[in-house]
Amino acid sequence: MHNKRREMLDLVEQRQAHLTAAETALTAGDQETYNREMAEATGFNSRIQAISDLLAEQDRFEAGSAVGVAADTAQIEDMVQRM
């Protein structure tokens, strides 16, 4: 899992470098370079989002797995007692 965190950070850094280049090009009035750099930057978005979603889901279950199991167990025991 730590490899995915590192990968996401690397992608965010690369994306930021393209955004900085796009801003510089826009300030200089270089529309062609701006368009190219923005396309490069936005190309990272879906991969960054996918890794972020994966990590969030993994963290959700890692952090709450014991609590979730305990809560499920308590609910099951409650249901069984009501029968």
Side-chain angles (χ1 to χ4, degrees), residues 20-75:
T20 299
E23 182 178 13
T24 300
L26 186 62
T27 300
D30 183 352
Q31 191 67 41
E32 184 178 328
T33 300
Y34 168 80
N35 291 340
R36 185 178 61 248
E37 292 296 337
M38 284 301 294
E40 288 286 335
T42 58
F44 289 95
N45 292 345
S46 63
R47 181 69 179 158
I48 291 169
Q49 188 61 54
I51 295 171
S52 178
D53 292 346
L54 173 69
L55 293 173
E57 191 66 12
Q58 288 173 335
D59 288 348
R60 184 171 74 92
F61 282 103
E62 283 183 13
S65 62
V67 173
V69 169
D72 290 344
T73 303
Q75 288 175 336

